[in-house]
Structure formats: C-alpha cells, structure tokens
C-alpha cells in the first residue's frame, strides 16, 4: 500500500511504505534489542500546521506520512512559560518530565540541575547510544550528561538559519573552543549571550545542517545497540528564511486569514513590547499577517523535506521497523491570531503543539483527543521501551491512550505564563485569568463550540456557576503545583 501523499508542487522521492502490524501495544514483538527512538522536535510549530491533520493550505508530505502510520494527539500542550523565551522552560520540562513549577531553574535558559534525571540520560544509562543535534536550550553540562555523541549543537535560543553558531560534541561538557562569532548579526538580533562557538556554518540552512548530522549518525551507529536520536530544529522560529523554492510554493494572497484575526488584542495581556510582538506593526494588517503565515508555512515545508531525508536514511539503515518515531514542537505561535504574533500567552494557538507517535505496535492513522502535556512524553517512552521511570519525573504516561481511544490519563489541564496569566481547562470549558499592572481580565470559552477562543462567555450569567467551578479548581491546582502566584488570581472580592 503506497501511503505517499506527494503534492504536485514538490519534487520528492517516491517510496513504498512498509506498514507496521496493527496489534495492541502490549503485544509488541519481543526482539532482543529494544526499540530505537527517533525524536523530531520543531521550534515554534503550533498545532494545526500539518496537512493531514486538517490544514489544507500547508504542504507537509512527510509529516503526513508519519500521521498516516501512527497516532496523532489533538490535545497536546505545553504547560506555559516562566520567561518570554518560552522554549527554554518548555524544553526543560520535556527533558526532565517535570511540570512548569517543578523545574528548578527558570528564566531564558532554564538550566537543568543534576537533581533531575533527563530523558536522554535515562536512555543512556539503559544502554542506548544517545545522539543529539540542533537546538539545546538548557545549558552545556546537561547535554554531556545525556548524550554519548552529537554534532552541530546549537546552545542558543535563535539564530540566522543560514549562519548557525554550532559546536561539535565535547564529552567534557566545557565547549570552550573559541571561534569569532558573527557579531553584527548578534547585535542586531539581541544574541550577545552567544560568546563563542566551535564553528560557524555559513550558507547551509540549519534544517539541512541538523538533518545531515542525524543522517551521518544513522549511517555509522553501532547496530548492536539501540539508539535514542534527538533532532531539535530551529525551524520554523524566526528569522524565517529558507530556500526560495519553498516560498514559491505558496501564494500569499490565497492564504486564509485566521478566523480569530484581530488588528490588536482587546486588552493589555502583559507582553505588548516583547520581541515576538514587534515583528509586525501595530495595528496588525491582513496583508502583513498573510505574509508572516506564508513564511511560517514555507519554513515548515522546508523542514518537512529534511525530515523525509532522515526517514529515508533510517530505512536504509535497516532500523526503520524497530524504531519509535516521535514528532512534536516546543510551543505554538499566534501569527496574527487575537491580534498577537508570539507565544507569550495561554491561548490554544500558543500552548498547543503537534504530537505524532508511530512505530512497532502502535496503531496506524488514528487520532486521540486525550489531554497530555509535552512533559508526559518522557514517561511514555519509558513505558514503551519497558524501562523504569525515574523518581524525579512528574509527568504521566499516555501509553494507554495510544492504544485505546477511550482512555484518558488526564481530566483537567492547567497553564501559566510568567506571574500574570493563568488558565485552566476541564472538558470543553477553558478559563483564562489575567492580572497585569493591577488590572484583572477574565475569559471563559467553550472550546467545543468555539475552538478559536473568540466568544468570551464570562459576562453571560448563565455560565456563572461554570466560572466559579473552574476558578476554585484552578486555585486548588495552583497550590498543588506550588505555584506561588495564587494571591493574584483569587476571586475579586477576596483580593482586598
């Protein structure tokens, strides 16, 4: 059965996909070697940006294939962020399996302390060969703790994709080799925190660079050992630049404007002057938003083609049928929705992430609406590979939900951004509370009727009881999570 869905605009290789047998996860074949893990991780790619999962305008043939071969989660989220660099705490949560208020060091980098076992570290100790390439946003020492090898490693938040300051692997974790950095670009884009690098790749796009590193590993790895390969892209994070042929695949005028497009956000949400928000003018214009969406989609399509190269190399290595493939992203992005451009909020477009998992024993071409956080992936992969989950992990495995459409491992979700935004979801209803410069704002949405969060029900007295129910439970969960900002989000009549 040929599952390839190759768009007429693309020139991609044609391959016949070898289908996995679709039997329960518990009956996974008992090969002597544990299954490999291939983890593909995007930067700023929101949920709803995969063609096979409902976006008819974006071109993602290789992600479509992964979706056809596996299970896609439609309610996968990050928990939020403790700094404007949302990707840093998000990646710390992913790597440690701990929630937002359980990671010890917050801030723009969110270093991971030795007190918390990381996902690659766990697989390394279980005998896996662990390889990492691409964006690593949680400090240099933790990379050496978890990975046995790596290449083209980027210890920063963002960079010109054509001139990425990267390192070769250093088992000592020091990464102290110094080479002149591209200072003009750094100064322009506020990247002075990157002081030196092992080498600078000039003229090769980061998505291609990281794919090349992963492919080289797949060609040379010791087949006697299982592997854990982590490929962390900088795409589609801005600055959005990619080969012209990918831009040419999109017609800016025909791109659909988001249904929740607004020229500006209706009230102060706390981060108007953040870098992400000033990428577009105020008020937002329809033409400008469409142009940003074109570049966003084109960069995802370019990354998708590199994913196709990696999957092909995996097949050629002979390890494809014994490999669990995971695709996800570190956070979402507004790109014109609600009058916003960035990720510094708790709307669905900014906390929702794609999540696809496929491989031996995993059902094919199925969707799940079970709630899960990004940091739940760690214990899930441990269970799938029959490894013990470290005691420091706070996430919950969603293996049962992979095999059973009715299984729900979480009934509610809570989210936060810095000290002034909190959200709570139970079933179809979602409450968002803001406390900015002493001013309170509240939003209540029914996501089943209003998935774009455009119809605020808070002022409708018919939903007073629902609001009170969610508010009480949100405050209780904040206490459980040791969120120290409960005082800002108590009921208004209790705040004085």
């Amino acid at each position: 059965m040929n599952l390839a869905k190759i768009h007429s605009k693309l020139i991609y290789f044609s391959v016949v996909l070898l289908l996995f047998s679709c039997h329960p996860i518990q009956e996974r074949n008992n090969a002597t070697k544990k299954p490999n893990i291939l983890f593909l991780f995007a930067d700023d790619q929101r949920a709803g940006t995969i063609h096979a999962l409902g976006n008819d305008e974006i071109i993602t043939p290789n992600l479509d294939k992964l979706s056809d071969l596996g299970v896609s989660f439609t309610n996968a989220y990050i928990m939020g962020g403790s700094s404007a660099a949302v990707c840093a705490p998000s990646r710390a949560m992913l790597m440690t399996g701990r929630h937002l208020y359980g990671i010890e060091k917050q801030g723009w980098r969110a270093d991971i302390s030795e007190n918390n076992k990381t996902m690659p570290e766990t697989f390394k100790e279980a005998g896996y060969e662990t390889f990492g390439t691409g964006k690593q946003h949680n400090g240099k020492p933790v990379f050496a703790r978890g990975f046995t090898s790596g290449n083209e490693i980027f210890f920063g938040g963002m960079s010109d994709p054509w001139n990425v300051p990267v390192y070769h692997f250093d088992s000592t974790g020091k990464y102290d080799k110094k080479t002149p950095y591209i200072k003009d670009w750094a100064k322009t884009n506020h990247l002075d925190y990157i002081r030196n690098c092992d080498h600078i790749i000039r003229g090769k796009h980061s998505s291609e660079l990281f794919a090349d590193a992963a492919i080289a590993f797949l060609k040379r790895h010791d087949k006697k050992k299982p592997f854990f390969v982590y490929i962390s892209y900088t795409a589609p994070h801005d600055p959005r630049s990619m080969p012209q042929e990918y831009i040419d695949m999109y017609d800016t005028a025909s791109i659909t404007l988001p249904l929740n497009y607004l020229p500006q956000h209706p009230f102060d949400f706390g981060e108007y002057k953040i870098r992400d928000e000033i990428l577009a003018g105020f008020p937002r214009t329809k033409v400008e938003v469409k142009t940003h969406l074109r570049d966003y989609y084109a960069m995802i399509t370019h990354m998708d083609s590199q994913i196709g190269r990696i999957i092909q190399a995996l097949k050629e290595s002979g390890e494809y049928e014994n490999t669990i493939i995971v695709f996800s992203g570190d956070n979402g992005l507004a790109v014109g929705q609600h009058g916003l451009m960035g990720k510094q909020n708790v709307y669905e477009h900014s906390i929702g992430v794609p999540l696809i998992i496929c491989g031996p024993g995993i059902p094919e071409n199925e969707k799940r609406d079970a709630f899960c956080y990004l940091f739940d992936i760690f214990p899930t992969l441990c269970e799938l590979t029959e490894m013990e989950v470290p005691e420091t992990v706070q996430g919950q495995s969603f293996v049962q939900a992979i095999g059973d459409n009715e299984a729900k491992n979480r009934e509610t979700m809570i989210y936060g951004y810095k000290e002034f935004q909190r959200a709570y979801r139970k079933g179809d209803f979602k409450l968002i509370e803001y406390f900015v410069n002493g001013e309170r704002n509240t939003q209540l949405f029914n996501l089943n009727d209003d998935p774009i969060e455009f119809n605020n029900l808070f002022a409708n007295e018919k939903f007073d009881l629902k609001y009170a129910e969610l508010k009480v439970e949100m405050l209780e969960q904040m206490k459980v999570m040791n969120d120290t900002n409960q005082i800002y989000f108590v009921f208004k009549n209790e705040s004085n």
Side-chain angles (χ1 to χ4, degrees), residues 155-200:
F155 291 110
M158 56 175 285
S159 177
D160 173 2
W162 297 95
N163 297 279
V164 183
V166 289
Y167 289 87
H168 295 307
F169 182 71
D170 180 357
S171 60
T172 68
K174 295 179 179 179
Y175 293 94
D176 55 359
K177 295 180 181 179
K178 295 188 177 183
T179 302
Y181 182 58
I182 309 174
K183 296 183 183 299
D184 291 340
W185 192 91
K187 184 176 181 181
T188 302
N189 291 274
H190 310 291
L191 284 179
D192 294 321
Y193 60 83
I194 302 180
R195 302 301 181 188
N196 58 80
C197 59
D198 193 80
H199 61 302
I200 298 171

Side-chain angles (χ1 to χ4, degrees), residues 309-341:
R309 293 177 56 221
I310 294 170
I311 300 301
Q312 179 62 23
L314 178 64
K315 292 177 179 179
E316 292 173 357
S317 75
E319 296 284 355
Y320 177 68
E321 294 188 12
N322 191 43
T323 300
I324 296 169
I325 303 173
V326 179
F327 174 78
S328 191
D330 60 355
N331 50 255
L333 205 65
V335 198
Q337 299 185 67
H338 293 105
L340 307 176
M341 296 301 295

Side-chain angles (χ1 to χ4, degrees), residues 69-277:
L69 286 174
V71 174
S72 302
F73 283 81
T74 58
N75 280 312
Y77 298 94
I78 65 167
M79 194 173 183
S82 52
S83 74
V86 174
C87 52
S90 175
R91 289 161 186 267
M93 285 185 274
L94 170 73
M95 284 295 168
T96 62
R98 296 179 66 81
H99 61 64
L100 183 61
Y101 307 101
I103 53 176
E104 293 178 316
K105 298 183 180 180
Q106 306 283 345
W108 71 270
R109 195 170 65 183
D111 288 356
I112 297 171
S113 78
E114 294 185 0
N115 295 331
N116 294 323
K117 189 81 71 175
T118 68
M119 180 161 46
E121 189 177 7
T122 300
F123 278 88
K124 178 181 177 180
E125 292 178 354
Y128 277 69
E129 187 175 3
T130 55
F131 175 89
T133 185
K135 180 174 176 176
Q136 314 296 326
H137 209 357
N138 302 121
K140 297 172 183 177
V142 71
F143 188 86
R145 270 170 46 199
F147 292 98
T148 56
S149 64
N151 206 359
E152 314 304 1
I153 307 160
F154 172 47
F155 291 110
M158 56 175 285
S159 177
D160 173 2
W162 297 95
N163 297 279
V164 183
V166 289
Y167 289 87
H168 295 307
F169 182 71
D170 180 357
S171 60
T172 68
K174 295 179 179 179
Y175 293 94
D176 55 359
K177 295 180 181 179
K178 295 188 177 183
T179 302
Y181 182 58
I182 309 174
K183 296 183 183 299
D184 291 340
W185 192 91
K187 184 176 181 181
T188 302
N189 291 274
H190 310 291
L191 284 179
D192 294 321
Y193 60 83
I194 302 180
R195 302 301 181 188
N196 58 80
C197 59
D198 193 80
H199 61 302
I200 298 171
I201 302 298
R202 294 180 172 87
K204 176 170 282 192
H205 196 280
S206 63
S207 294
E208 299 172 17
L209 180 69
F210 304 148
D212 287 350
I215 290 169
F217 170 82
L218 291 172
K219 289 181 177 179
R220 68 163 176 79
H221 86 277
D222 181 359
K223 293 187 178 181
K224 294 179 181 179
K225 288 185 175 183
F227 61 71
F228 176 97
V229 172
Y230 176 64
I231 305 150
S232 181
Y233 292 97
T234 55
H237 196 297
D238 68 281
R240 296 187 190 100
S241 176
M242 71 298 299
Q244 184 64 37
E245 64 185 282
Y246 292 89
I247 298 177
D248 293 342
M249 293 174 188
Y250 293 92
D251 175 19
T252 307
S254 65
I255 289 176
T256 302
L257 200 68
L259 293 175
N260 53 1
Y261 161 82
L262 287 174
Q264 64 184 43
H265 196 263
F267 54 85
D268 186 356
F269 71 106
E271 291 286 26
Y272 271 125
K273 296 182 180 179
I274 202 69
R275 192 202 63 84
D276 287 27
E277 294 302 330

